[in-house]
Amino acid sequence: MTSSTEQDVQAEAQLALHGLENAPAPSQARVDRIYSGPREPEPLLSHLGYDSFRPGQREAVAAALDGRDSTIVMPTGGGKSVCYQLPGLADERLTIVVSPLIALMADQWLRLREGGHPATMIASGLGENAARDAMARVRDGRARIVYCSPERFGSSSFLEALGRREVSMLAVDEAHCLSEWGHDFRPDYLRLPRAIERLGRPTVMACTATATEEVAAEISSRLDLRDPLVVRSGFDRPNLSFDIVRLDGKGSKARKFALLEIGLKDPANRPAIVYCGTRRDTDEVAQALRESGISAGAYHAGLAPDERASTQHRFMQGDCEVVVATNAFGMGVDKADVRSVWHWAIPTSVEAYYQEAGRAGRDGEPARAVLLAMRSDLGRLVRFNEQKTVDPAGVAEYVRQLAANAGEDGALRISSPRTDAERIRLAVAERIDSVSIEPAPGGRLDVTIHGPVQPGPVAASCRVAKDRGWSAYRSVEAFSYSTKCRRRLLLDHFSDTSTPEPTGRCCDVCDPAGWLPDPESILITAKRKTRSPGADVVELSAADGRLFETLREWRRAAAAGKPAYTVANDRTLEMIAVKRPTNPADLQEIKGVGPGFISKYAEPVLELIAAA
């Protein structure tokens, strides 16, 4: 994933910052009164309105108060923000919180400001007066926490404001964005190590919800963390139930949509997010849901920024109950009452699945995650992996092209990579020290060429990139087609050895009945979806559906290898299942049943009806 364009950032900011510019500033006297006490975790906790720490929070806060680096791995909704907000508010020096999306920052900032806490935010999209005020608060010490994006470190005015303060801590939220082998790599995060040194090497806290041990180790290495405390509070989400429904064979897409429709028509499963693998699927599924009477909006990077902003705003406000989206919809969406998350296709990695599924039930109430898996999804993932594969010659050629356009000092300014292949070439070149990268205005990058690509290092780095890409593919394939407990599989993936303790239903393996509709009713709904517009709809009960399936089995045998319609079409069998005639005369009243059918099939059909 590449960083947002300036136009995207502006649209996102206008939505996220709407109404925030006039938020009341905290009283300095109140700030001094609240934070003049001892710098200990428990007294500070009450100032944010909490009664007790969640697992891992106290240790993280204590480490920050002691000036110790840390890596905090907590599940979505686990309370990572408290880990850096408490020590940040308790210190008169400045805490910088780096976050990838404006909406994510704006939500936390607003909550702090409403509580009267000394926090501010520097972001594109702020009005001129609000931006000037925010910068002033950083300079003169009125702000103890400032939220910003990693790109902000390319701003001379921002760096000048930071230079007026002593920085106590830099918190890196969504720190998995540092790993080019992670599921949500962002090149701008690679500039943070240099920014940390420029700030005088303050305490560093790296926070994420989705880092495997391997990615967490890379985060620690990238940020040069010193003897870091590592907090892994557990990956279980006890209030979530997990279902994987495998749909393959003829008519599988119709059955998949029927299941999605049935699930989303249940009010208990709304609000909901449906994740699709492509923009085309996103548009088609959203349109089909609207046609079935479900309030649904589409969200993907191919839509205009104001269109995306409108969809997100309506969803957050409750005007739109279902968002159908690509993975462009995610971080920054803090809607606590999402009751279900559906994956229309197998995602690119287990980490991506876990993060997206974890957007359900953040309020702690029961919620569910459903993956609708088809083997054809794996072909799409294979193609994605092949497109992302880069070879040493490709990296070398990429660096040669950069060098050809660079000045005498080896420097040039480029647009942020827009394709996976270009992104990985640049990341590999940076990793082997052929280039260094700094953020530049407008979402661009300043690149400095250090020398030609060396064959040995580039070959090794490309091999690592390829191996990790296919490892992610194999992991998500195994997860999607395993017959083991879904919760256990997720915990094992993240090296969490704790015992699963669901507060309700666990998953489709541990509780096969669960909440999913009867498969025969899914089939009937799917068949109705394939009918021509305007055709009469037959409403079948579950019992009718079972009889219909029995009649279909009988028809297959009666056709004796000939096309099934030569005996009777589905519409006729559905009417027989609903009306349940008890004699030949009543049977002949059904449309599609003629004298020939009566003479050949009346007896066995009436017997099946009687036995149902």
Side-chain angles (χ1 to χ4, degrees):
M1 178 181 292
T2 57
S3 57
S4 301
T5 65
E6 192 66 21
Q7 184 183 25
D8 293 343
V9 169
Q10 292 292 338
E12 180 192 5
Q14 290 168 11
L15 170 67
L17 305 179
H18 179 68
L20 298 188
E21 295 187 9
N22 297 319
S27 161
Q28 190 61 46
R30 180 181 184 279
V31 170
D32 293 339
R33 183 174 68 254
I34 290 176
Y35 298 107
S36 60
R39 296 177 69 231
E40 297 177 359
E42 275 76 14
L44 293 172
L45 185 65
S46 63
H47 297 320
L48 289 182
Y50 299 108
D51 297 326
S52 60
F53 284 109
R54 295 181 182 180
Q57 286 181 331
R58 190 189 191 286
E59 295 83 351
V61 170
L65 292 174
D66 291 340
R68 183 180 178 184
D69 290 350
S70 59
T71 299
I72 311 301
V73 184
M74 290 182 176
T76 300
K80 294 183 295 298
S81 60
V82 170
C83 298
Y84 51 76
Q85 286 175 351
L86 281 184
L89 294 171
D91 199 311
E92 292 184 357
R93 296 173 297 172
L94 183 67
T95 287
I96 304 170
V97 180
V98 179
S99 188
L101 287 182
I102 291 174
L104 196 69
M105 295 186 280
D107 178 72
Q108 292 188 23
W109 173 46
L110 177 60
R111 294 181 186 183
L112 289 174
R113 289 293 293 268
E114 287 177 340
H117 302 291
T120 192
M121 173 174 156
I122 309 291
S124 301
L126 277 173
E128 184 177 347
N129 291 337
R132 187 184 301 114
D133 177 71
M135 203 74 79
R137 290 179 179 278
V138 172
R139 290 192 185 95
D140 63 24
R142 284 177 290 165
R144 295 189 178 186
I145 294 179
V146 58
Y147 286 87
C148 69
S149 65
E151 294 89 340
R152 190 57 47 182
F153 290 99
S155 165
S156 58
S157 60
F158 181 65
L159 293 174
E160 182 274 330
L162 296 181
R164 303 285 188 93
R165 299 285 299 280
E166 182 182 357
V167 177
S168 64
M169 182 169 69
L170 186 140
V172 183
D173 204 2
E174 307 293 345
H176 56 272
C177 295
L178 269 162
S179 171
E180 68 252 41
W181 317 125
H183 69 282
D184 199 18
F185 169 67
R186 300 196 175 201
D188 288 304
Y189 266 64
L190 295 178
R191 263 59 68 196
L192 293 179
R194 189 169 299 181
I196 291 169
E197 295 305 319
R198 186 182 293 149
L199 294 170
R201 192 49 180 79
T203 302
V204 180
M205 177 183 289
C207 302
T208 179
T210 57
T212 61
E213 289 186 337
E214 186 177 38
V215 170
E218 183 180 358
I219 291 170
S220 180
S221 175
R222 283 279 186 181
L223 293 176
D224 192 24
L225 301 185
R226 302 172 182 176
D227 185 29
L229 170 72
V230 178
V231 175
R232 297 177 71 87
S233 67
F235 284 84
D236 199 3
R237 292 289 307 279
N239 62 312
L240 295 191
S241 65
F242 298 92
D243 286 275
I244 297 179
V245 183
R246 289 181 284 270
L247 297 140
D248 291 300
K250 186 177 181 180
S252 56
K253 186 172 183 179
R255 294 198 305 276
K256 180 162 72 166
F257 181 77
L259 176 57
L260 179 65
E261 179 190 349
I262 291 170
L264 291 179
K265 282 192 171 180
D266 182 350
N269 292 329
R270 304 194 305 266
I273 302 172
V274 181
Y275 281 106
C276 295
T278 66
R279 297 177 186 179
R280 179 178 177 180
D281 279 349
T282 300
D283 290 331
E284 289 181 354
V285 171
Q287 179 64 29
L289 288 175
R290 287 193 294 268
E291 290 174 355
S292 69
I294 296 172
S295 173
Y299 187 107
H300 59 72
L303 298 173
D306 59 343
E307 204 173 343
R308 295 202 304 275
S310 175
T311 296
Q312 180 172 334
H313 180 71
R314 290 171 54 225
F315 182 64
M316 298 300 289
Q317 297 300 312
D319 296 332
C320 172
E321 288 196 289
V322 178
V323 168
V324 185
T326 61
N327 61 6
F329 185 81
M331 286 190 299
V333 180
D334 189 12
K335 187 172 175 64
D337 64 342
V338 173
R339 298 272 63 88
S340 65
V341 169
W342 301 70
H343 280 86
W344 180 255
I346 297 174
T348 55
S349 67
V350 176
E351 292 90 336
Y353 169 80
Y354 177 81
Q355 185 177 61
E356 290 160 3
R359 296 196 174 104
R362 295 188 66 169
D363 56 3
E365 296 299 316
R368 50 186 54 108
V370 185
L371 169 58
L372 306 175
M374 296 175 65
R375 281 286 176 186
S376 58
D377 297 335
L378 298 176
R380 173 180 55 85
L381 297 182
V382 167
R383 291 192 297 273
F384 282 176
N385 249 357
E386 291 173 342
Q387 291 167 3
K388 290 190 294 185
T389 298
V390 296
D391 57 19
V395 176
E397 177 59 27
Y398 180 72
V399 173
R400 277 196 295 269
Q401 291 176 4
L402 292 175
N405 293 302
E408 293 183 0
D409 58 354
L412 75 160
R413 180 167 291 176
I414 65 171
S415 298
S416 290
R418 297 189 178 278
T419 67
D420 285 331
E422 184 181 3
R423 173 178 66 82
I424 295 176
R425 288 189 185 108
L426 182 59
V428 169
E430 188 270 347
R431 174 170 275 273
I432 63 175
D433 295 325
S434 286
V435 304
S436 60
I437 318 165
E438 287 286 338
R444 293 180 292 174
L445 299 174
D446 282 335
V447 179
T448 301
I449 312 298
H450 297 311
V453 170
Q454 299 301 313
V458 71
S461 191
C462 285
R463 186 163 54 250
V464 170
K466 178 180 180 180
D467 290 347
R468 292 197 183 184
W470 286 110
S471 176
Y473 167 83
R474 288 190 294 271
S475 293
V476 78
E477 178 190 26
F479 174 72
S480 301
Y481 284 87
S482 174
T483 57
K484 297 180 180 179
C485 170
R486 313 304 181 190
R487 191 179 303 272
R488 181 71 266 165
L489 288 169
L490 288 172
L491 296 182
D492 288 346
H493 181 82
F494 291 105
S495 303
D496 185 341
T497 59
S498 61
T499 301
E501 296 182 349
T503 54
R505 178 173 175 271
C506 181
C507 68
D508 61 289
V509 173
C510 298
D511 186 356
W515 64 275
L516 290 174
D518 179 82
E520 286 162 4
S521 65
I522 294 172
L523 181 63
I524 301 304
T525 304
K527 287 183 175 297
R528 289 211 285 286
K529 288 295 171 187
T530 62
R531 286 211 187 95
S532 59
D536 292 336
V537 174
V538 180
E539 296 296 336
L540 281 79
S541 66
D544 295 340
R546 288 190 289 271
L547 176 55
F548 170 72
E549 287 302 312
T550 300
L551 291 170
R552 290 182 78 242
E553 287 296 323
W554 162 80
R555 181 183 62 181
R556 185 177 297 111
K562 297 180 181 178
Y565 68 82
T566 60
V567 176
N569 60 35
D570 279 357
R571 169 71 171 174
T572 298
L573 297 186
E574 287 178 355
M575 294 301 296
I576 292 173
V578 170
K579 292 185 176 294
R580 299 190 178 225
T582 59
N583 56 67
D586 290 342
L587 180 59
Q588 195 165 349
E589 291 295 318
I590 293 174
K591 185 177 180 179
V593 175
F597 183 96
I598 293 295
S599 64
K600 289 182 180 180
Y601 308 124
E603 184 177 353
V605 168
L606 292 173
E607 287 178 357
L608 291 174
I609 295 171

